[in-house]
Amino acid sequence: MTPRMQRKKKKKKKAILDAAERIVADRGMAGMTMGEVADAADVATGTLYLYFKNKGSLLAAVNARLNHQVNIYIKEKMDLKKTGLEKVVAMGQATVEFFMENPQKWKAVTELYQMKVQDPHDPNVQDFLEVTNEMVQMMAQAYQQGIEEGSIRQDLDPVATAIYNRMAFGNAFTPTTEQKMLLEHNKITPERYLSVAWGLISHSTRGVLLEKKVKKS
Amino acid sequence: MTPRMQRKKKKKKKAILDAAERIVADRGMAGMTMGEVADAADVATGTLYLYFKNKGSLLAAVNARLNHQVNIYIKEKMDLKKTGLEKVVAMGQATVEFFMENPQKWKAVTELYQMKVQDPHDPNVQDFLEVTNEMVQMMAQAYQQGIEEGSIRQDLDPVATAIYNRMAFGNAFTPTTEQKMLLEHNKITPERYLSVAWGLISHSTRGVLLEKKVKKS
Amino acid sequence: MTPRMQRKKKKKKKAILDAAERIVADRGMAGMTMGEVADAADVATGTLYLYFKNKGSLLAAVNARLNHQVNIYIKEKMDLKKTGLEKVVAMGQATVEFFMENPQKWKAVTELYQMKVQDPHDPNVQDFLEVTNEMVQMMAQAYQQGIEEGSIRQDLDPVATAIYNRMAFGNAFTPTTEQKMLLEHNKITPERYLSVAWGLISHSTRGVLLEKKVKKS
Amino acid sequence: MTPRMQRKKKKKKKAILDAAERIVADRGMAGMTMGEVADAADVATGTLYLYFKNKGSLLAAVNARLNHQVNIYIKEKMDLKKTGLEKVVAMGQATVEFFMENPQKWKAVTELYQMKVQDPHDPNVQDFLEVTNEMVQMMAQAYQQGIEEGSIRQDLDPVATAIYNRMAFGNAFTPTTEQKMLLEHNKITPERYLSVAWGLISHSTRGVLLEKKVKKS
DNA sequence: AATGAATGAGGATTCATTCAT
DNA sequence: CATGAATGAATCCTCATTCAT
């Protein structure tokens, strides 16, 4: 294959992923049909299957790419910070920023949270796992550093905490139908809800050091 | 209708709900087919539609009943406690207990978290909302009491916090595929994960009073 | 059975027929469900089957009753006239009158025009046939009289003409979807259409005598 | 798409339309199931939906094609004639001929007369309307010409008359169950009925000129 | 006679996936 | 590689009719 053809191929794969991401954001995973993706990506239905084994694999790939993009963005921001606490805070802020700037990706990631893995051996599923774990490790390191520095609670298990907080954060961003109904019912705006959630999440990991600072101010 | 027939009808409705709950736990909402439910409930397909307008309504009813059962269980435990903090803790423990004892319900509730409401005017959907809100209000009251007593952070919005924590808790119990994969990958047992999550959630609302105590000890 | 019970039974049958007629007018034959009829007649579903063997039989009964009512009305008006031509004209006018005054019955009769007979031995179907034939015979007699008087074309077959004109008339009143679309497209109002149709139908049977009169005037 | 594939596609569409037409003739519109059509056309059920949006659209397409075929046949015969009256007569004769030669199409067209349009924006419905209107305009022109020539009644509205007569004619050809029963009961053959109907329809529009001729003879 | 809950066959439609071109 | 027509299993829902009470 010539380099030009490789580029072309990559382009087509990207077009498919873009289309799928957009449609998942709009209509949800179950609402996304392969035909629609093909149309939106301007390729034939059959072509999808040249690049992705099946629908599940395509969804996994979308999910992996999406998480990868978030990771890159977050990592950049975290790397600018020194202390563990700063990094943790930066991560939260960066996540908020990223999704605020990309509402479509936000919607898509919400939907994909509920993705069910059919075939764990699927390369795209593996990819997705790796990408996700990458972020978890990054967060865990920040927690670990914060623990050592005293700004994060010493009794925390960094990895489990990272996994939980990652999810908690995602869910704060993407309330389920139930939550939406409850919020509406209680006249709480999504923005307020997000702020409350973020407050709770941050607070849940704060260590002694921070509490002192807080009390001073 | 004779009382005897009323009893029979109630029984049948219960059988359908039981079947649906079981199948949702096993195969998920999308995987649940009306035919299967009918078979499992030992009624004809058409009979389902005598009791529930459509699939969405049946799912909402399952969800409402499930939440109602949890509510009753939790309320009982909370009512035994005096202070707000105790109530909050009791709520957490009761939830854990309930779901530990009813793994099937746990699975079902996880699935139903993602239920999409089609018709907000459906009585079963309304029911579901009411039941859910009931619990939120109960939690909010406990937080409020805790705030007044000083054991819960004074800067909290009780209702929003309740909504968030309810969900956070639910999610701690019902990790998504992604979380499951991450946990497995990092060799963290579900039990450990739950305990970590619960620790974080509790900590996130702790007030000055508690912190003082903690520091002393 | 006591006379009182007989009355009661008759009343129930009437209620069912009334309900069915109304629903056929509103939603068409296919759109009419037995459950809906039962509800509207304030009886149980099963009760319908005590009075009518099946849906087809009920529809036939509705159709028979409807035609019977029209017959009575028309016969009354025709009996007031002397000559054959007058009778024919009276029949046309009476039909128009009747349906103008009973739009619901008009709609119902339209729908029932397309009734398909499943079981020709059904008593209600037989009834319907008899009633319909009654009117045909009445019209045929009027034509016959007109022929003898010279006001109706002498070459006509009275019975076949009656059958055709009865239908033509009915259709003038109850245009099909196709006709409605054509009329709308050509900006012809239903009233105008009815008048045109009636003019054509009348003209189609006029005999020499009338034509002379017409030419004179 | 290669020309060869286009041909194939056309062929398949034709096969579907043929099958649908045949089945509608046999079992009526409501009796026609999509599965049966697919079987008869030797395609999969899903294939039907590649060519027709839904059942209603398929029926409209069958109806449009059928009318188009009749139109072509009639137009050919009418174009051979000079005077308006001749054209009108030719139209009647051609219609009779066409349906005598195609009894299945006759039956189908009868059924489709009662087609209810669900979606007026459906292209096939639009097609059907256009085709139908085409014939109406053709007939209206012939009437107009006849009026000018004096062989058709001068007081006629050509378009409304055309619409009515088109329908009247169609109905003469396709008696409803009711008519069939009446005809049978009165021992009138369908052929005789058709001839009577045609006589009435022709007579209904005859003008002065013709009447003079008639009186002479 | 009356009830109305229960039945279950039947039908329209969708959509992931395949495969001949 | 690319196409897109074809597939057909799968699923929700309706409703005429029955029958135990």
Side-chain angles (χ1 to χ4, degrees), chain C residues 114-206:
Chain C
Q114 308 168 355
M115 189 184 80
K116 277 181 193 164
V117 170
Q118 313 275 348
D119 172 14
H121 303 303
D122 184 302
N124 289 327
V125 171
Q126 298 272 338
D127 249 34
F128 164 62
L129 177 59
E130 258 169 57
V131 165
T132 310
N133 200 44
E134 205 176 291
M135 177 46 45
V136 166
Q137 297 307 333
M138 222 149 73
M139 287 172 65
Q141 273 168 31
Y143 282 131
Q144 182 57 44
Q145 192 183 331
I147 289 168
E148 284 163 12
E149 293 164 1
S151 57
I152 300 282
R153 287 167 50 200
Q154 316 226 337
D155 57 330
L156 288 184
D157 170 336
V159 176
T161 300
I163 295 176
Y164 173 75
N165 271 356
R166 179 189 152 74
M167 174 226 58
F169 211 66
N171 273 314
F173 261 94
T174 57
T176 60
T177 309
E178 185 188 341
Q179 266 118 46
K180 274 186 223 146
M181 285 164 68
L182 286 172
L183 294 173
E184 210 173 314
H185 189 92
N186 289 285
K187 306 206 193 308
I188 297 168
T189 63
E191 287 75 22
R192 170 145 186 70
Y193 181 65
L194 183 54
S195 132
V196 166
W198 174 232
L200 290 166
I201 293 171
S202 324
H203 197 92
S204 70
T205 56
R206 265 185 211 156

Side-chain angles (χ1 to χ4, degrees), chain C residues 111 115-116 132-133 137 153 157 164 166-168 171 177-179 186 192 200 203-204 215, chain D residues 111 115-116 132-133 137 153 157 164 166-168 171 177-179 185-186 192 200 203-204 215:
Chain C
E111 266 297 318
M115 189 184 80
K116 277 181 193 164
T132 310
N133 200 44
Q137 297 307 333
R153 287 167 50 200
D157 170 336
Y164 173 75
R166 179 189 152 74
M167 174 226 58
N171 273 314
T177 309
E178 185 188 341
Q179 266 118 46
N186 289 285
R192 170 145 186 70
L200 290 166
H203 197 92
S204 70
K215 264 181 271 174
Chain D
E111 266 296 318
M115 187 184 81
K116 278 179 193 165
T132 308
N133 200 45
Q137 298 306 334
R153 287 169 51 201
D157 171 337
Y164 173 75
R166 178 190 153 74
M167 176 225 56
N171 274 120
T177 310
E178 186 188 339
Q179 267 119 44
H185 189 91
N186 288 285
R192 170 146 186 70
L200 290 166
H203 197 90
S204 71
K215 263 181 271 175

Side-chain angles (χ1 to χ4, degrees), chain A residues 188 196 200, chain B residues 139 143 156-166 205:
Chain A
I188 297 168
V196 167
L200 290 167
Chain B
M139 287 173 65
Y143 282 130
L156 286 186
D157 170 337
V159 177
T161 302
I163 295 176
Y164 173 76
N165 271 355
R166 179 189 152 73
T205 56

Side-chain angles (χ1 to χ4, degrees), chain D residues 51-66:
Chain D
Y51 293 88
F52 303 96
K53 209 176 67 224
N54 49 36
K55 189 180 173 180
S57 193
L58 170 54
L59 287 171
V62 172
N63 211 354
R65 190 183 67 162
L66 216 39

